[in-house]
Amino acid sequence: AQKVTQAQTEISVVEKEDVTLDCVYETRDTTYYLFWYKQPPSGELVFLIRRNSFDEQNEISGRYSWNFQKSTSSFNFTITASQVVDSAVYFCALSEAQGGSEKLVFGKGMKLTVNP
Amino acid sequence: GAGVSQSPSNKVTEKGKDVELRCDPISGHTALYWYRQRLGQGLEFLIYFQGNSAPDKSGLPSDRFSAERTGESVSTLTIQRTQQEDSAVYLCASSSPYLADYTDTQYFGPGTRLTVL
């Protein structure tokens, strides 16, 4: 069965600190996709990144970076020099293509608060 | 390029009443998903549409829940005889496996907050 675990439920940091959000997943498939979404206080989920299981290269996008390690089934997300606008709930998610459906299995989310 | 839209944004209803929630996906997106988010929780998958067909309904919690999609566009999620445990935010997402860029990435609407009194 697919499962996504975000062990941290809530983190509070001071602006400019770096913060890493952990994500551990379980799947029996060899082909799968991993995602991170951001849910700001407004409530709408914002897509951040998609990574397929065959691509273990780390990715950097501005202050955001992602570390995908199949050996530990982890897909961690780091925000460098955090800003107040980064305050949100962050969700890690997993999908497996099953008959065309790529339904997402979400972790429970991690609430990040960045204080000025 | 409009995103996914949902209506109403908020719905308050009394226990036992039926409700209909609407989703307008991104134009041209053939896949449509419904999810439910209970307070403080992650999202739970409800149903997947490809075109107007629903090949995966495995997440619907009971036979009080149903959904349809018409014209490969708008989808309606119906909850009959609502219960208090149905209170949640219902989110719709759409994607297109046929686009070259970020294929199959799901883009979410703002959700409908349902409160059952």
Side-chain angles (χ1 to χ4, degrees):
Chain A
Q2 306 162 60
K3 185 179 178 182
V4 175
T5 301
Q6 295 180 255
Q8 309 141 310
T9 55
E10 196 162 349
I11 293 179
S12 183
V13 300
V14 177
E15 213 170 13
K16 296 185 184 177
E17 282 188 45
D18 299 347
V19 58
T20 295
L21 287 58
D22 298 331
C23 173
V24 174
Y25 63 91
E26 295 176 29
T27 178
R28 285 177 289 191
D29 266 20
T30 56
T31 302
Y32 53 89
Y33 306 90
L34 295 163
F35 300 79
W36 277 94
Y37 284 86
K38 173 182 179 180
Q39 188 175 43
S42 61
E44 190 159 347
L45 264 77
V46 177
F47 165 75
L48 295 179
I49 189 170
R50 165 191 166 105
R51 173 70 63 200
N52 75 54
S53 52
F54 300 109
D55 183 2
E56 282 193 78
Q57 285 192 17
N58 292 332
E59 178 147 347
I60 298 174
S61 176
R63 296 184 295 107
Y64 295 170
S65 62
W66 290 269
N67 182 279
F68 176 27
Q69 292 195 348
K70 289 177 76 170
S71 60
T72 55
S73 297
S74 65
F75 186 44
N76 296 338
F77 173 29
T78 297
I79 302 174
T80 303
S82 60
Q83 299 177 1
V84 173
V85 294
D86 296 327
S87 296
V89 179
Y90 291 86
F91 290 97
C92 181
L94 164 73
S95 77
E96 301 169 351
Q98 295 178 347
S101 170
E102 291 200 7
K103 62 185 177 187
L104 295 169
V105 174
F106 284 83
K108 293 190 175 181
M110 200 287 298
K111 182 178 180 180
L112 173 66
T113 302
V114 181
N115 297 300
Chain B
V4 178
S5 60
Q6 293 185 245
S7 61
S9 54
N10 279 284
K11 176 72 176 178
V12 180
T13 190
E14 293 179 350
K15 179 180 172 182
K17 299 281 178 117
D18 298 352
V19 295
E20 285 189 354
L21 312 180
R22 177 187 168 109
C23 171
D24 283 88
I26 293 172
S27 178
H29 278 194
T30 56
L32 186 148
Y33 300 79
W34 283 97
Y35 293 87
R36 176 171 71 177
Q37 184 177 24
R38 290 188 165 129
L39 186 64
Q41 299 296 312
L43 281 74
E44 307 167 80
F45 166 78
L46 297 177
I47 187 169
Y48 156 68
F49 285 92
Q50 179 56 47
N52 294 332
S53 300
D56 189 351
K57 306 178 184 179
S58 62
L60 294 178
S62 75
D63 59 7
R64 296 187 296 104
F65 287 72
S66 63
E68 65 172 13
R69 189 179 184 195
T70 57
E72 300 195 353
S73 179
V74 172
S75 176
T76 303
L77 176 69
T78 301
I79 309 173
Q80 295 178 310
R81 305 180 302 282
T82 51
Q83 303 293 312
Q84 288 183 333
E85 62 262 27
D86 299 333
S87 295
V89 176
Y90 289 82
L91 291 141
C92 175
S94 71
S95 70
S96 176
Y98 305 113
L99 296 177
D101 185 31
Y102 284 108
T103 55
D104 301 326
T105 294
Q106 293 178 34
Y107 295 92
F108 284 81
T112 293
R113 182 175 298 278
L114 175 65
T115 304
V116 181
L117 302 177

